[in-house]
Amino acid sequence: MVAFDRHLTDLRRAAHRIDLWGAAYLINAGFSDDGFEYFRCWLVGQRREVYEAALDDPDSLAGYGPVRSCILDGSDECECEGFMYTPNRAYEGIMGHA
């Protein structure tokens, strides 16, 4: 759990960049500071190839199916707040309390 939490934090930090912020803002039609955090969690949750391509060139997300759905359908947002709480939930499940 600790190693996963560190890895997740490292990946989210690596994606904390202005060019990805701009892409996320356009993809989700705006958001708050928290929304960018949730977008980065969503991005980490995608395949490694998608994540790495987005870090190399945020425009690569334009052709990615889930992003296209966010933009065209407007029904979903490309964000996943709950993913960043996964290590905490695992700990609580193992320890039996918060």
Side-chain angles (χ1 to χ4, degrees):
M1 289 178 294
V2 172
F4 176 78
D5 188 42
R6 285 185 191 138
H7 186 62
L8 178 59
T9 298
D10 290 345
L11 292 171
R12 287 185 3 239
R13 282 184 184 148
H16 193 267
R17 300 177 2 193
I18 191 68
D19 54 351
L20 279 173
W21 186 95
Y25 189 86
L26 292 173
I27 290 166
N28 286 327
F31 54 70
S32 65
D33 288 341
D34 288 345
F36 184 47
E37 182 74 30
Y38 308 152
F39 171 82
R40 289 181 290 139
C41 289
W42 173 86
L43 184 60
V44 169
Q46 305 308 299
R47 293 187 322 268
R48 174 185 237 165
E49 297 82 20
V50 173
Y51 172 84
E52 290 177 351
L55 264 61
D56 287 341
D57 179 14
D59 288 342
S60 69
L61 292 169
Y64 183 51
V67 168
R68 293 184 58 78
S69 295
C70 289
I71 294 170
L72 298 176
D73 298 343
S75 57
D76 294 321
E77 292 182 328
C78 292
E79 56 182 49
C80 186
E81 176 184 4
F83 188 51
M84 71 181 178
Y85 304 121
T86 301
N88 293 354
R89 289 186 184 134
Y91 178 81
E92 290 169 2
I94 290 169
M95 300 306 292
H97 58 79

